[in-house]
Amino acid sequence: MKIKILYIGLSIFLLSWIIPSLVQLTMDSSPRYPFTYYSSVINQFCYLDQDNDKVIGKDMSGKVYTDAEFDRVLPMFYYRQLAMENAIPDSIQGVPVDRQTIARNSFFFWYKPKDKNTPVIELYPMFESCSGKVDLENPSDMFRLKENIEFIDMATNRVDEQKSARFQQAMERAGFTFPALWVTGIPTSQKSYDEGYFALDSKGHLFHIKMTNGKPFVKDTKASNISCMLPMEIDNRSLYGFLFDTNHTLYYLSTDGYRLVKVLENVNPDKDRVSIMANMFYWTVAKISSDGEHTYALENKSMRQVDSLFRPAPESTWDKTLPYLFPFTVAFQDSTNSYIYPRISDYYFPSLLLNIILTIVTFVVYRKEKSYGKYLAGIITLFTGIAGFITVCLFAKIRK
Amino acid sequence: MNKALLFKEWIKTRWMFLLMFVVFILAMGYIALRISSAARNVGMPHLWEVFILKNVVLLDQIKVLPLLAGIIMGITQFIPEMTKKRFKLTLHLPLGENRIVCLMLSFGMVCLLLLFTVSYGGFLWGLSADFPREVVGAWFATILPQVLCGFASYLLTAWIILEPVWSQRIYNAVIGLLILSLFMVQGVPGSYIYMLPFLFGTLLLLALYPKISIRHFKEGMQ
């Protein structure tokens, strides 16, 4: 009987995973928010409203724009279209603009928790940052940085002792305390320039490490309490990347003396998604969390908040139905990290109504059973719902 | 008596076991050949980049092999027992019922362990000559759930075959499919790290389940 109980337990566990997953597939479950961008022409948020099959450009006062008008209201976003029509304005907010200036000062940054919570193979190519050539060249070695730094030649799979020692000494001279907690960079030669890597030492200090003219360059950025960093390469080279500190604040690391500039507070890098659409006047920063989408317009130079917008998360059919159908669900993957492991949801008490009906059906199925088995089956169905009902009435009938 | 029982299992499975060994060695040889051919054509540094930065694990191409090996081992070992109810005779041997089942399942598990250790272990050992420990570790982390899936498929096959009630066999097969799919979720190398205790726990449970089927068998349930 003990083994049977273990079988029943595993069956309920598995069915609480597969049945809700299949039901979820039949319903819409992920909220969608309209594309929103802060206009530097009319100084307010504009968005694309999905009206049946038509997508209409609107601003916050409800004014509707045609496609051509919408391009002109958001010249910082649609500048390529305007350039094709030769319609880029000479100046915006008194500042002369042209296609090159807009392109050089615009960038996009998308962050999702999976960017941080994904296992990686901790070997990285160290590019020559000052090669003097247009394209970056792939190096012949890769490095590991943990207890020490080691460069491994890819052709022979052997450690390059001399190069490793040069970097090790340079890092120790700069005050880096081994072991490194993490390393981050852009490990591809398909980028316009190289700024090497950023590594957090065992004391929590962030260091900048790169190779210039074959020599190690190591600098303490003086930034600390950093939980993760997402390096960026942008045309105007004004920043090294975005960082989250341990207090859930998002910063960017300026190339102007490694200055940390605060972008947004209360962003949980393990749960929230962030998008930044930046131009030479404003950054449109959106934080998508479980309660909805928070959008902010920040002035480019000062990062001062000039406008904000909140759209509550629409309740999907799945969200509405789930608590009435299943007392709990099991999942093995989610959108916040790449690790596979069982995740058991909270207990949904509204499902008890359906569970009571299923319990009555269970007693009908077990009506000829004289032993305590029918009571056990009833209790299992009452608390575990559909998964328990299928298990005790079909997969593993409880007999004396 | 233990030796005699194990010898009986060996007689039943030896040719299929050797055939699986050959298939695994050929599969590993094929993957090794692909790596060596790619190294000659595009160079070792490019292969490093593909394996490290693109998370490519070539052994993923043969990820169903351990699963199939487990099923074949289970069928080879237990179908002859169930034909003409020979299993009744086995259960009448002067050994405890638990001991008999434990010996039979242990024999199959050890055969699979030998098969997987020699083939995958040999392959990873060879790989470590040309690739750093991080790559070998990532490949090991990728194949470990697949190998555990082989053990799970063996135990599930034994459980399903030993079950005398046809309808229960079908229910067991449904549960078995769900369990096997847990071992085969697509992910990046290392994504199973927190799942491993759960997978080992599931294997322990699966080793107990044939007892339910044997109880049904002894009760003469159809």
Side-chain angles (χ1 to χ4, degrees):
Chain A
M1 193 62 195
K2 282 176 191 164
I3 298 174
K4 188 99 178 213
I5 290 290
L6 289 173
Y7 173 40
I8 290 170
L10 186 67
S11 170
I12 291 171
F13 183 78
L14 292 168
L15 293 175
S16 298
W17 159 55
I18 196 71
I19 298 172
S21 311
L22 294 175
V23 174
Q24 190 178 7
L25 281 179
T26 65
M27 299 177 188
D28 61 313
S29 56
S30 55
R32 281 187 175 186
Y33 300 99
F35 164 79
T36 305
Y37 198 88
Y38 191 75
S39 168
S40 44
V41 175
I42 58 172
N43 290 328
Q44 59 174 301
F45 285 114
C46 297
Y47 63 100
L48 287 173
D49 195 17
Q50 182 95 28
D51 188 13
N52 294 325
D53 285 342
K54 274 184 81 179
V55 178
I56 301 165
K58 288 181 179 174
D59 64 22
M60 295 316 291
S61 63
K63 187 177 174 188
V64 176
Y65 297 91
T66 63
D67 285 354
E69 285 169 345
F70 202 64
D71 293 348
R72 281 154 182 78
V73 168
L74 300 177
M76 292 288 119
F77 189 80
Y78 294 110
Y79 67 90
R80 284 191 206 89
Q81 178 65 34
L82 294 180
M84 202 183 82
E85 296 170 13
N86 207 14
I88 291 184
D90 294 334
S91 69
I92 296 172
Q93 300 192 1
V95 179
V97 292
D98 56 41
R99 183 186 169 142
Q100 284 73 29
T101 318
I102 298 173
R104 203 174 124 73
N105 292 291
S106 298
F107 70 86
F108 299 92
F109 168 74
W110 312 104
Y111 171 81
K112 54 187 186 308
K114 262 191 184 172
D115 295 339
K116 174 178 178 267
N117 303 317
T118 294
V120 290
I121 298 177
E122 293 174 319
L123 287 168
Y124 312 90
M126 181 71 83
F127 300 97
E128 169 56 60
S129 294
C130 292
S131 64
K133 294 179 179 171
V134 177
D135 296 320
L136 291 169
E137 279 179 25
N138 281 315
S140 61
D141 53 22
M142 285 202 183
F143 72 94
R144 63 167 69 100
L145 175 54
K146 206 78 191 168
E147 304 301 327
N148 52 9
I149 184 165
E150 280 184 327
F151 285 83
I152 308 136
D153 184 72
M154 288 190 264
T156 61
N157 193 25
R158 293 226 170 98
V159 174
D160 183 338
E161 301 286 357
Q162 286 187 340
K163 189 173 180 182
S164 304
R166 276 205 314 273
F167 271 80
Q168 179 83 15
Q169 284 163 11
M171 289 174 76
E172 283 170 354
R173 267 201 307 274
F176 192 95
T177 317
F178 289 91
L181 299 181
W182 48 253
V183 185
T184 184
I186 307 174
T188 171
S189 57
Q190 306 298 310
K191 53 186 177 182
S192 50
Y193 62 96
D194 175 65
E195 277 299 345
Y197 292 85
F198 288 85
L200 202 71
D201 77 352
S202 63
K203 288 184 177 167
H205 296 291
L206 188 73
F207 283 75
H208 186 191
I209 304 158
K210 60 180 177 177
M211 184 165 72
T212 51
N213 300 315
K215 290 177 186 162
F217 169 97
V218 186
K219 195 128 189 175
D220 186 353
T221 67
K222 307 289 182 195
S224 55
N225 296 325
I226 305 299
S227 71
C228 73
M229 177 173 179
L230 295 308
M232 287 273 294
E233 41 135 358
I234 62 173
D235 281 354
N236 67 14
R237 301 195 185 198
S238 60
L239 54 88
Y240 290 117
F242 290 89
L243 311 95
F244 289 96
D245 74 359
T246 48
N247 297 318
H248 295 176
T249 303
L250 175 68
Y251 298 89
Y252 75 79
L253 186 64
S254 162
T255 48
D256 171 22
Y258 299 108
R259 203 161 41 88
L260 270 184
V261 181
K262 191 191 286 181
V263 179
L264 204 60
E265 287 179 329
N266 299 321
V267 195
N268 186 343
D270 293 315
K271 288 181 178 167
D272 301 335
R273 283 185 286 150
V274 176
S275 74
I276 297 176
M277 294 181 280
N279 62 53
M280 55 195 290
F281 298 105
Y282 300 104
W283 289 18
T284 306
V285 180
K287 177 185 85 166
I288 298 169
S289 45
S290 55
D291 61 339
E293 185 192 51
H294 305 255
T295 312
Y296 306 92
L298 309 179
E299 206 176 58
N300 187 322
K301 299 284 180 227
S302 62
M303 286 291 109
R304 187 175 60 86
Q305 187 180 313
V306 292
D307 204 350
S308 69
L309 175 68
F310 174 65
R311 289 192 179 97
E315 207 181 9
S316 65
T317 321
W318 170 244
D319 293 333
K320 286 178 204 158
T321 322
L322 169 66
Y324 294 97
L325 281 183
F326 306 105
F328 63 93
T329 60
V330 177
F332 289 91
Q333 287 176 299
D334 68 28
S335 61
T336 62
N337 70 54
S338 302
Y339 293 98
I340 298 157
Y341 59 88
R343 297 150 169 93
I344 300 171
S345 71
D346 293 336
Y347 198 85
Y348 303 115
F349 286 98
S351 67
L352 278 175
L353 187 67
L354 176 64
N355 295 359
I356 289 167
I357 297 167
L358 291 173
T359 305
I360 294 166
V361 179
T362 304
F363 282 127
V364 172
V365 172
Y366 275 79
R367 65 188 178 280
K368 289 178 185 166
E369 190 67 40
K370 297 271 188 273
S371 71
Y372 69 94
K374 68 173 164 190
Y375 301 110
L376 185 60
I379 290 168
I380 289 172
T381 305
L382 182 65
F383 289 105
T384 59
I386 297 171
F389 173 73
I390 294 175
T391 299
V392 295
C393 292
L394 209 63
F395 285 11
K397 274 197 171 180
I398 300 170
R399 296 183 187 90
K400 193 176 180 182
Chain B
M1 186 55 77
N2 291 350
K3 273 187 188 170
L5 189 70
L6 292 174
F7 186 67
K8 178 170 75 89
E9 296 307 304
W10 171 244
I11 295 290
K12 275 191 293 185
T13 55
R14 58 187 170 171
W15 294 118
M16 194 51 80
F17 179 61
L18 289 174
L19 180 67
M20 286 195 293
F21 232 109
V22 171
V23 171
F24 267 74
I25 298 298
L26 285 176
M28 297 301 150
Y30 166 72
I31 300 291
L33 262 178
R34 283 200 61 189
I35 293 176
S36 119
S37 157
R40 278 196 310 278
N41 292 327
V42 296
M44 203 50 117
H46 182 72
L47 266 189
W48 275 50
E49 281 168 36
V50 171
F51 291 169
I52 293 168
L53 304 176
K54 307 255 186 259
N55 279 327
V56 170
V57 178
L58 287 180
L59 285 174
D60 254 359
Q61 294 174 354
I62 52 166
K63 68 177 175 186
V64 292
L65 267 192
L67 168 87
L68 292 177
I71 294 173
I72 291 169
M73 191 72 195
I75 289 174
T76 316
Q77 214 181 338
F78 292 100
I79 287 280
E81 295 288 343
M82 298 309 282
T83 321
K84 294 183 185 167
K85 299 205 170 167
R86 285 185 192 120
F87 195 52
K88 251 186 189 170
L89 291 175
T90 309
L91 290 178
H92 279 95
L93 289 172
L95 283 172
E97 171 195 310
N98 287 345
R99 196 185 184 93
I100 291 171
V101 178
C102 185
L103 274 172
M104 290 175 84
L105 291 177
S106 301
F107 174 84
M109 294 289 272
V110 168
C111 284
L112 289 175
L113 185 66
L114 193 69
L115 175 68
F116 298 149
T117 309
V118 171
S119 53
Y120 283 112
F123 180 86
L124 292 177
W125 178 73
L127 191 76
S128 66
D130 291 320
F131 294 93
R133 59 173 184 259
E134 287 84 353
V135 172
V136 179
W139 283 41
F140 176 72
T142 306
I143 60 172
L144 187 57
Q146 297 165 15
V147 165
L148 294 180
C149 182
F151 292 117
S153 66
Y154 166 71
L155 294 169
L156 284 165
T157 308
W159 178 38
I160 293 165
I161 293 174
L162 289 174
E163 173 60 51
V165 185
W166 263 103
S167 59
Q168 189 62 50
R169 268 188 188 162
I170 293 165
Y171 302 146
N172 292 358
V174 172
I175 294 292
L177 279 175
L178 293 178
I179 291 173
L180 291 180
S181 61
L182 294 184
F183 289 80
M184 305 288 264
V185 181
Q186 196 72 34
V188 292
S191 54
Y192 259 98
I193 190 82
Y194 302 121
M195 183 75 169
L196 289 176
F198 178 79
L199 296 186
F200 278 109
T202 306
L203 283 184
L204 274 179
L205 283 183
L206 292 183
L208 297 173
Y209 288 170
K211 276 209 72 174
I212 304 175
S213 301
I214 288 169
R215 196 179 135 217
H216 291 170
F217 187 85
K218 283 180 76 179
E219 287 170 355
M221 289 170 70
Q222 294 289 328

